[in-house]
Amino acid sequence: AMYRRAGGPTTGGMEGSAFAVRAAIAALELFGDDQLALRALQRAAECDSDIEQFAELRPYAERLAALGAPARAFVAWCVERAGNRLASCGRALAELAATIAHGLGEKEAHGRLLIRAAVESPHDTALVGLAQTFARELGDPELLATVEGILPADDRARQILAQAADSSVDVALDLLLEVELDPLSPEVQRQLYEALAQRQEEIGRLDDAEDSYRALLARDPVNRGALEGLERAAERRGDHEELARLLLRRAECATDAAEALQLRLRRATLLERSVGRVEEARQELERLLSEEGEHPDLLHVLADLHRRSGSPSRAATLWGRARAVSTDPEQQRELTLLAAEAHLEA
């Protein structure tokens, strides 16, 4: 009979292995001989452990596990093979043996076999994630290193980023700082530096956060988060020159015209009040006025500069123009009052 022949020594290689798998299924389905099925399975694994047909036996794993000692012996053989990097052990066989091990209650064997299955299928992120869980539970440094080396560097880093997002700040920092940057793509490097900077800033490691924001900006010159983080750092240091430079850079990168205008107005105010470059601030505002036209906020900032510079008459005129183009009743009342006060000072 075919199923008896498959367990014998006369067949080998891929064809013999596939034949033995079919014989094992026949033994289970047609003859109810689970012992013979397990022997045929062992023969199949010895002939060629890489064939995909082993997956066809997974529905019978519980029955095979019920055989007890012979099943344990088969699982042990598979674990030994799976632990030898030079020996072939395909995913289908590793997963079948892992399922049998689970049925036997052999947790360590189950985990080791799933790890070998993941090694054979590095692009199956779900399987790799499961293998990582078992590797951590087993606590074997060599297995942990094996699993960490399964995924491509970018995929591994993305997993760490996702894990860090769900962790406390301290744990997240430990995870992120362990990632080796050199093998990563520029996009994943940006994601890593952004996550790192945010958490460093959150726990007050401000110098480290600033370094991370600078590294992020070097890789992504228009990154808003990096620019804003460096702005906060410059404000804390009182470095108004640096802040003015960053505000200009952010204005140049802004895709929203209204936001760009507000950033340039803020920069002009900073130049005048904190840096002392009053004439440069005035020229910047005049240039904005020629580019943007009559805008109430722009006219208001320019009027304020003229008033503090000793030109209340010019300030009054600008506040009047701002009042004329404003559509906000509260702002209109404020501008009217400012214009009147400036007229009295003139």
Side-chain angles (χ1 to χ4, degrees), residues 49-50 78 81-82 87-94 113 116-117 120:
S49 60
D50 285 328
C78 290
R81 193 172 186 86
S88 64
C89 183
R91 172 179 177 169
L93 176 60
L113 288 161
R116 180 58 187 253
E120 297 297 317

Side-chain angles (χ1 to χ4, degrees), residues 47-128:
C47 288
D48 188 337
S49 60
D50 285 328
I51 66 169
E52 297 180 0
Q53 287 93 324
F54 286 112
E56 298 173 19
L57 282 165
R58 284 187 68 186
Y60 306 100
E62 188 174 345
R63 280 176 60 179
L64 295 173
L67 293 173
R72 290 182 194 279
F74 172 73
V75 167
W77 183 87
C78 290
V79 168
E80 183 179 358
R81 193 172 186 86
N84 183 353
R85 295 185 181 182
L86 299 178
S88 64
C89 183
R91 172 179 177 169
L93 176 60
E95 286 190 304
L96 170 59
T99 308
I100 296 172
H102 179 71
L104 289 164
E106 297 279 356
K107 184 175 181 179
E108 182 173 348
H110 181 213
R112 290 180 179 275
L113 288 161
L114 278 180
I115 290 168
R116 180 58 187 253
V119 169
E120 297 297 317
S121 300
H123 298 294
D124 188 334
T125 55
L127 179 59
V128 172

Side-chain angles (χ1 to χ4, degrees), residues 38 256 296:
L38 185 61
D256 181 76

Side-chain angles (χ1 to χ4, degrees), residues 3-74:
Y3 66 93
R4 293 189 183 279
R5 181 174 171 238
T10 58
T11 57
M14 183 184 298
E15 290 184 2
S17 182
F19 186 79
V21 168
R22 291 196 299 272
I25 294 172
L28 288 160
E29 289 189 346
L30 300 179
F31 301 97
D33 191 336
D34 295 4
Q35 293 273 5
L36 181 59
L38 185 61
R39 290 200 299 273
L41 171 57
Q42 177 75 53
R43 175 60 180 164
E46 291 169 353
C47 288
D48 188 337
S49 60
D50 285 328
I51 66 169
E52 297 180 0
Q53 287 93 324
F54 286 112
E56 298 173 19
L57 282 165
R58 284 187 68 186
Y60 306 100
E62 188 174 345
R63 280 176 60 179
L64 295 173
L67 293 173
R72 290 182 194 279
F74 172 73

